[in-house]
Structure formats: structure tokens, C-alpha cells
Amino acid sequence: MKRLLLEFFAMALMLLPLEARKTQKFTHQTIAIPRVQKQVLSIETAHTSLVILVHENGTLQTVHYGAKLAHPEEYLALNASSEDYNGDRGATYPATGGRYIGEPALHVKYADGTHNTELYYTGHENSEKDGVQTTTIRLRDYVTGLRVRLIYEAYGQQDVIAAHAEILNPSKQPVQLIQAASSALYIDADEYLLTHLHGSWAAEMQLDHELLGHDVKLIESRRGVQATQGNNPSFMLSLNTREFSETSGEVIAGSLAWSGNYRLSFEKDDAHRLNVVAGISPHASAYPLGPEEVFVTPDMLWTWSNAGAGGASRNLHRWARKYGVYGGGTVNPTLLNSWEGAYFTFTTETLLRMMDDAAGMGLEMFVLDDGWFGNEYPRNNDDAGLGDWEVNVKKLPEGIDYLAQYAHEKGLKFGIWIEPEMVNPQSNLAHAHPEWVIQSPGREIYQGRNQWILDLSNPAVQDFVFGIFDRTMSLAPNIDYIKWDCNRVVQSFGSPYLGEAQDKFYVDYCQGLYKVMRRIREKYPKVMIQCCSSGGGRIDYGSLPYCNEVWTSDNTDALARAYIQYSMSLFYPACVMASHVSAVPNHQTGNVTPLKFRFDMACAGRLGMELQPRNLSAEEKALAHRCITSYKQYRDLVFTGDLYRLASPYDGSYFGLMYVSEDQSRAVVYTWCTHFEPRTVGGKAFRLQGLDPARQYKVVEQNVDQSCWWGNGLSFSGDFLMAGGFNPILPRLYSSAIFVLEAQ
Ligand code: DGJ
């Protein structure tokens, strides 16, 4: 009986909710999406089209990025798939929500806890300024009112498109941007060979080629600052091939203009198509966007070429020289930097003699590196002094002014090192402003290279960092060059200034840095700035609009540099690549290379020296003088010419490249042997590129009395030189040669 009763009650309980449901009214209301006119938006450069199809239902689909289409409107016949259960394939700016289940460009969490965003076209505008065509596409989520603007700037002559997004929260409630990427691209090809860079300190920019399989490949930096010392926010995709080619085939290259955490995702879907999403990393950065606030993402640069990796690199370089690098396309001076020659141990006398030698060898600038500051906590090693930016009176009682004046009298420009984002715990600054240090309550403030990081999300710190630059510039009337260092990554992050809004930290830090750089550039348009960051730590198109050059790597071994400089050239132009001749055995690798090889490697970028010149013999100084003098004759090609890579050190025993003037009348060719090859008596044929096949070029080897090529001093047709006729003999590891070509 008891059992029967229990069963009865259990049945009644199960039935009740069903009954309730029968009587309940289903109240869900769907907001209607206005239909729009179907149309094709074609964003065009000289040789490329990015085609976006606006469907009648208001969704946006990227249907083509590649060769320029004469009739992009032919895509109008393509209908949106109503049965796309995988959701919005090819969405131009895919958002988490609706049918979309892939990697999103946008993921918003609303105040009511929901995560759904569906973006629909509401209009677009085109405008033009100084030859740059801008297309702004407006999108809207009709349920929440969220608005997005996609902005594409097309640089016609350079075949580069810079894309970014702006997200506006028009509601009365704050929202969280869990992800807000700059741009997405949907690509349809048979194969996708991804080329990207990885590495670490003194081994930056190592090359990886990887055939993409299905699912998601991520390239991400969570380092906070120094974001590019591991990998770089740049990549190439060789399409429809498993082979990387310098000279042929379709290549899409991309580079994110951001110096903080970034994420590039490559998702090959079940239809074998690739969705690339590029932007700020969402790591610990669910950015709060208040009512009426707008979030502006950094630019993502895209380029396409049908001339292989070389074509894609040249597009990016041309764009960078004209638009992406501060002072791009102008020649920067050769220099002697004090670091590897003196480190922290010097007096005024040491530096004056270094300047004498620099001037004697024909160099044009002297740069005083680390170690010149701090009194109570003198900067005699990396333990102390960072933050206390007053001149160390023991080492330099005559002051910086005296040094700068001496340099100028010698005909040298003068530069100086700072690391303004950092502080040693052993410094007056750390004692005066502990609240300016990045830290998390109750947790250890980890040190890196014995230093802490200042919290650039804090406007007071931004003012302080600007002030360091400002004061350093006032140490002498004509400081020509500042080397801006940054020697560690963010760990155990936290901003005392941001309070509960810690999600803003990584983004606000980077934006804080850019605010400071903008102020600096307003006040000091002429000073040259090197973005150093421990070597290779901040090589990105976010920093370069403020900086004339980068310190490529702390690894100054010319052999190691072959690999680093080759990879860097895929995305960044030679005009920003600082490359220095240093002592042997090399201080990083212990390797011993001939001075000529070291010069020939450094002369492929902005040439400098970084050693104690008094340790050079008279013969070595004479060779240095010869190499520097000849470099000055052809260096305009390094700074403004088009790069053609001739041989990769990653693929064989030789590295070769050349820079060609725009009018094809001059070129400089570099060849290096990076690995011993037996039986090279016949010479190594390098097929030159970029010359006018019909013109005659006189070929002259630099800096030698006896040339390694039988054709030295003679003239040859561009045709001949590009067909393999140029075959210098580079018989040993570290054999190298530079040739200058002039059209007759
Ligand atoms: C790291 C840089 O990369 C070096 O060139 C040098 O400036 C040191 N910092 C100085 O501490």
C-alpha cells in the first residue's frame, strides 16, 4: 500500500510540469531584420581585389581576396546558403552568436549575461585621401543595438589593405568585449602553407613552414610587452602549394600593427576553407565597454601577390617605407654603439676615445648605451639604478652635454640609451612610487633581469615616462638619437591604478605606450628613435610609426644573423634593420667569424659597430674604413630599394639577397656562404632578380683587391645575370661578397 501511494505521488509530480507547459503561452519574439539591397563591395588596389558580398538578409560574406577582378559584380549571382548549419561561412567579421560556431572575430558578453551577437549590414561609405581609398562598412546587432564599423584602407600602389574595426556600445549598460579582433579573412584554396616566425632572446625570428591541417592553429603572444621576442604577429600563406616559393605562386601576407598581446588564428573548416582571424589577444582582456564608448582595434595589414613570398615582402616593404615607419625611406647614419665595447664600465675618457675611433673609421654617430645614470643606486650592472635618470657623476663628471658636444665637434651625431618603462627595486623611484609598479595584491612581484615594470596604463606613469624622454633630450642641446629599451615580459600582472578593471590592463598598457610615443613625436619630430626591446622584442607595425629603426637582435654573431635577418626581411624592410659588427669570439655565441663576413652581413641593413675599437688592429681598422666608405655609396639602395631574396640560409649553404633601385638602374647584391660545400670551384650560381633584362650592368665587387667572380668589373645584360651567369666563388664557410651593379 505504502509503495502504491509513493508511486502515485511520483507520477503526479512528473505529470505536473507537462500540464503546466500545455497551458503556458510561448512568448518568444524574434526581432525582424530589415532586408537590404544585395550588392558587391570591392576594395581594390593596383593588382588586388577584396570582394565582400552583402546579401539581402544583411549578412556580409568575404568571397574573394586575390588578383584584381575586372567584374567583381559577377558575385551578385551567388546566393546565401539558407542551409548553412555551420553558420555564416565566410562571414566578413564573424561574431559569436547566431548560427556561427567557428573562431570569432567578435565576442561580446552583454549586461544580461547573454553572448549572442549577429551583425547585419546597415550601410557603407567610400572616401579618398592622398590616394588612399577608405571603405567603411556599418553593421548592427538588431537585438542589443551594438554597432560595428569595419574600416578598410586600400593603399593602391603598394597593394596593401589596412583593416580595423570599431565597436560602439550604444546601450545604457556596459558590455564586455571578450574578443574584438581587427580583421578576419576567409580563404578558399587547396592547400595553405603557413610561414611564420618563432624564437627567443638571441635567437629571434626563426622560420617555420607548416602545412595547415584541419582545426585551429594559434599564434599568440601573452608576454604583455616585448611581445615579438618569441613569435611575431606576421605570417604568410602560400596558397595551393606545399612548397614555399620566393618567386611564384599566390601568397597572402598579414601583419598586425600592435605591440601588446596578440592572437592570430587559422581555422581550416570542414569545407577545407581557411578562416584567419587577427587581433589583440583575448587573454585576460575581457575589455569593459561602457555606454556610448567605442573600442578601436589596431590595424591588420593584408597583402596579396602572385609573385611568391618575394612579391608579398616587397608590397609590405614599399608600404612600410611610405606609410608604416617613422621617417621611412630616409637614410639613417652608421654608428658605433658603446654596449658590447664597454658595457657598464666606462669613464668620459673611454667614451671620447671610442668617438675618436668611430670618426676615424668613417662612422657617423656615437651611441652611449646603458650605464650612464644613477648615483645613490649607480647603474654599474643590471641590479640597480633603472628609474633614476640623472647622470652618474662618478663616471661622467663632465656630463652628457660634454660628450654630445665632443661628438658633434668630431662630425658625429650623438645618441643615448634609456629604458623608461622599467625600474630596479634598488632605485629611488621604486621607493618613491611603489604603486607605479605592475603587481598583484599579496603576490610576489617577480623580477626579470632584476627589474620591475612600470604600469603604463596609469596616466601618471605615462607622464613620468614622457618626462624621462623629455629630460634626457635636455641633457644636451642636440641629442640626435634615442635607443628605447625594454628588457622583460609582464608576469603576475596587475595594475594598482585600474582597481577592479584589471581586464583593461594589457590593452591600456599598450595604448598608454602609444600615447607617450605620440606626445614624444609631437615634441620631437626630428630625433631618431630606435625601438630596441632587448633585441627583436618589439618588431611590429604598431611601434614602427613612432620609430626609425629596430634593434634586430642582441645576437650580433654574423652567422646567427643570417637566419634572423632573412626571416625579418619577409615582413619588415631593411631600412629599419639595425645590424652591428661586433668583436670575436662573439659575446653571445662564442663564434669566430672573419671581419669581412661580419661587415658584409651588417651592411645588408643599417650598418653599425658595437665593439671596443681600440682592440682592432690597424689592418682591421683599415678594412672597417673601406667597408664603411663603400656602404655609404650604395646604402640608399638598402634604405629605399626593392628586396629580392636569392638564396635562403634555411634551405642550403648560401644566403643571398639584393636591393634594386626603383628605376632598375642600380642594385647591390650580397652573397654569403653559411655552410661549407665541397667542390664549389665552379662558383655558386645566384639567379639575380628585379633587373631590366635588356640593360647592361657593370658589376663591381666591393672591399676586395681580388674579386671572387670572373666577371668583376665587366658589364653584362640583366638577362644574363638573371639566368644564372652570376656565379661568384664562395669556397668556405664565411666566404662572402658584395657587388654593386650600375646600368651603363
Ligand atoms: C638590451 C639591449 O638589447 C642591448 O643592446 C643593450 O642596450 C642592453 N639591453 C643594455 O642593458
Side-chain angles (χ1 to χ4, degrees):
M1 182 63 190
K2 209 173 170 188
R3 210 177 135 218
L4 270 176
L5 265 173
L6 272 174
E7 275 175 5
F8 171 77
F9 280 120
M11 269 187 64
L13 272 172
M14 278 168 69
L15 283 172
L16 254 177
L18 261 183
E19 274 311 303
R21 240 179 281 150
K22 271 184 202 160
T23 52
Q24 203 180 19
K25 247 191 162 174
F26 186 61
T27 55
H28 182 82
Q29 278 193 347
T30 304
I31 289 182
I33 310 300
R35 307 294 281 179
V36 297
Q37 193 195 343
K38 190 172 188 181
Q39 56 189 304
V40 160
L41 308 179
S42 186
I43 295 151
E44 296 179 347
T45 65
H47 306 100
T48 72
S49 305
L50 170 64
V51 183
I52 296 169
L53 183 58
V54 183
H55 289 286
E56 279 127 339
N57 65 5
T59 57
L60 250 57
Q61 189 185 359
T62 301
V63 286
H64 172 84
Y65 181 47
K68 190 160 185 169
L69 300 182
H71 300 290
E73 70 282 357
E74 287 176 348
Y75 272 110
L76 279 174
L78 176 67
N79 287 324
S81 164
S82 55
E83 289 297 314
D84 188 355
Y85 291 119
N86 277 344
D88 284 350
R89 273 187 218 276
T92 301
Y93 193 68
T96 295
R99 282 184 184 276
Y100 191 70
I101 52 175
E103 280 288 308
L106 182 69
H107 180 175
V108 184
K109 185 177 177 191
Y110 297 94
D112 63 0
T114 59
H115 287 255
N116 255 284
T117 301
E118 291 180 89
L119 296 173
Y120 295 98
Y121 171 89
T122 57
H124 77 275
E125 287 84 36
N126 293 316
S127 62
E128 197 266 347
K129 198 175 167 221
D130 302 332
V132 182
Q133 305 276 347
T134 301
T135 304
T136 303
I137 306 172
R138 285 178 279 117
L139 305 170
R140 182 173 176 171
D141 178 90
Y142 280 94
V143 175
T144 63
L146 188 93
R147 294 201 198 123
V148 171
R149 299 199 308 158
L150 303 180
I151 294 130
Y152 296 88
E153 289 169 323
Y155 295 85
Q157 291 314 306
Q158 295 77 22
D159 284 323
V160 167
I161 295 173
H164 77 271
E166 294 176 1
I167 295 115
L168 167 71
N169 172 21
S171 75
K172 300 248 175 313
Q173 305 288 333
V175 302
Q176 272 178 27
L177 299 180
I178 292 177
Q179 181 158 8
S182 296
S183 184
L185 192 63
Y186 198 59
I187 308 166
D188 189 354
D190 292 337
E191 301 277 11
Y192 312 89
L193 180 73
L194 175 68
T195 299
H196 64 103
L197 311 178
H198 68 97
S200 62
W201 177 79
E204 300 83 357
M205 307 222 163
Q206 303 299 304
L207 195 68
D208 250 356
H209 297 297
E210 187 176 341
L211 197 64
L212 289 177
H214 291 83
D215 226 318
V216 184
K217 158 86 190 173
L218 285 185
I219 298 175
E220 186 164 18
S221 176
R222 298 175 175 207
R223 301 168 68 96
V225 298
Q226 258 198 345
T228 65
Q229 201 153 56
N231 42 40
N232 195 278
S234 307
F235 62 88
M236 285 192 186
L237 287 164
S238 304
L239 305 181
N240 304 309
T241 178
R242 296 178 167 219
E243 298 284 325
F244 178 82
S245 167
E246 270 298 332
T247 50
S248 63
E250 279 193 76
V251 170
I252 291 175
S255 190
L256 185 73
W258 183 246
S259 313
N261 290 344
Y262 57 82
R263 181 194 271 188
L264 312 170
S265 69
F266 304 84
E267 182 180 31
K268 189 166 159 182
D269 67 14
D270 54 346
H272 321 298
R273 290 175 208 149
L274 190 70
N275 181 35
V276 185
V277 178
I280 294 173
S281 165
H283 168 64
S285 299
Y287 203 87
L289 195 63
E292 298 300 328
E293 279 181 2
V294 183
F295 186 83
V296 180
T297 71
D299 270 335
M300 175 64 191
L301 307 169
W302 298 106
T303 191
W304 172 92
S305 170
N306 205 14
S313 296
R314 284 186 291 282
N315 291 349
L316 283 176
H317 296 174
R318 285 184 196 135
W319 176 85
R321 286 194 297 264
K322 186 148 188 208
Y323 300 102
V325 174
Y326 196 85
T330 50
V331 166
N332 292 332
T334 55
L335 61 87
L336 175 67
N337 177 294
S338 68
W339 181 240
E340 287 197 24
Y343 291 108
F344 296 102
T345 314
F346 52 80
T347 59
T348 301
E349 181 61 18
T350 325
L351 304 178
L352 298 186
R353 298 297 74 84
M354 286 178 106
M355 288 188 219
D356 292 342
D357 281 328
M361 289 186 292
L363 294 169
E364 298 157 305
M365 180 154 71
F366 178 74
V367 178
L368 171 55
D369 210 283
D370 199 350
W372 58 266
F373 51 90
N375 286 302
E376 208 175 326
Y377 298 96
R379 182 75 171 164
N380 292 330
N381 51 46
D382 58 26
D383 279 356
L386 278 181
D388 299 349
W389 297 99
E390 76 276 355
V391 184
N392 181 299
V393 288
K394 216 164 163 196
K395 288 187 204 177
L396 305 173
E398 297 85 355
I400 299 297
D401 189 9
Y402 180 77
L403 294 172
Q405 201 181 325
Y406 188 84
H408 289 139
E409 279 164 13
K410 286 247 137 198
L412 296 171
K413 293 183 186 303
F414 183 81
I416 191 164
W417 178 97
I418 52 174
E419 193 178 4
E421 295 158 80
M422 301 287 161
V423 57
N424 282 125
Q426 291 195 63
S427 67
N428 285 322
L429 177 67
H431 301 146
H433 285 291
E435 79 285 6
W436 283 0
V437 173
I438 289 175
Q439 59 196 278
S440 188
R443 294 182 197 282
E444 182 174 347
I445 312 177
Y446 296 116
Q447 295 180 28
R449 207 194 185 208
N450 307 310
Q451 62 201 48
W452 290 332
I453 311 184
L454 296 177
D455 175 12
L456 261 183
S457 71
N458 181 344
V461 176
Q462 292 164 19
D463 285 346
F464 175 78
V465 169
F466 172 78
I468 294 170
F469 195 100
D470 210 22
R471 273 182 47 210
T472 309
M473 288 299 291
S474 70
L475 290 172
N478 292 310
I479 298 226
D480 302 289
Y481 175 101
I482 297 277
K483 175 173 173 177
W484 182 301
D485 213 341
C486 172
N487 279 302
R488 60 160 296 183
V489 302
V490 175
Q491 287 160 333
S492 198
F493 83 93
S495 160
Y497 169 75
L498 287 171
E500 286 182 2
Q502 296 295 314
D503 277 318
K504 288 175 136 186
F505 171 75
Y506 283 114
V507 170
D508 284 11
Y509 185 101
C510 191
Q511 286 176 345
L513 174 72
Y514 293 159
K515 269 185 209 157
V516 173
M517 296 311 281
R518 274 195 292 274
R519 271 175 84 182
I520 288 171
R521 276 312 183 192
E522 266 164 37
K523 186 157 180 191
Y524 299 106
K526 289 210 180 106
V527 69
M528 288 172 276
I529 301 180
Q530 182 189 77
C531 185
C532 169
S533 203
S534 198
R538 244 183 211 157
I539 303 186
D540 59 73
Y541 283 115
S543 302
L544 284 168
Y546 309 104
C547 300
N548 302 67
E549 62 173 35
V550 296
W551 179 224
T552 311
S553 170
D554 267 357
N555 191 339
T556 53
D557 174 352
L559 181 62
R561 274 301 185 101
Y563 298 87
I564 293 170
Q565 295 186 183
Y566 168 90
S567 310
M568 177 167 170
S569 80
L570 291 173
F571 308 105
Y572 301 96
C575 65
V576 304
M577 187 174 72
S579 194
H580 295 177
V581 173
S582 60
V584 287
N586 181 268
H587 293 189
Q588 289 74 41
T589 65
N591 201 16
V592 177
T593 54
L595 186 59
K596 171 79 166 38
F597 184 78
R598 280 176 272 155
F599 262 104
D600 287 353
M601 192 60 69
C603 283
R606 195 275 290 131
L607 170 65
M609 293 181 79
E610 188 162 332
L611 43 65
Q612 173 49 275
R614 94 172 158 237
N615 296 337
L616 294 175
S617 67
E619 266 175 11
E620 287 174 322
K621 276 189 179 153
L623 178 60
H625 187 271
R626 189 171 182 180
C627 293
I628 293 162
T629 309
S630 80
Y631 174 78
K632 288 180 191 163
Q633 305 300 311
Y634 62 75
R635 69 172 157 189
D636 60 304
L637 296 166
V638 179
F639 284 86
T640 64
D642 276 331
L643 165 74
Y644 293 86
R645 286 175 295 262
L646 306 175
S648 163
Y650 289 91
D651 292 341
S653 305
Y654 302 94
F655 180 22
L657 59 86
M658 60 192 287
Y659 303 112
V660 183
S661 65
E662 205 184 333
D663 64 1
Q664 296 176 302
S665 68
R666 289 166 63 236
V668 54
V669 178
Y670 301 76
T671 58
W672 302 271
C673 178
T674 50
H675 187 264
F676 171 69
E677 278 280 324
R679 294 181 182 280
T680 51
V681 276
K684 157 71 185 162
F686 291 90
R687 285 178 172 72
L688 302 192
Q689 299 173 47
L691 301 174
D692 181 340
R695 273 162 111 171
Q696 290 281 314
Y697 293 89
K698 186 173 177 190
V699 184
V700 178
E701 187 176 349
Q702 306 293 295
N703 309 323
V704 287
D705 299 324
Q706 260 212 306
S707 176
C708 65
W709 188 44
W710 53 267
N712 186 48
L714 304 176
S715 292
F716 299 90
S717 63
D719 199 17
F720 175 87
L721 295 167
M722 293 194 288
F726 173 72
N727 60 343
I729 297 176
L730 302 167
R732 298 204 176 88
L733 172 63
Y734 306 139
S735 298
S736 63
I738 299 178
F739 297 85
V740 170
L741 277 60
E742 296 216 18
Q744 299 302 293

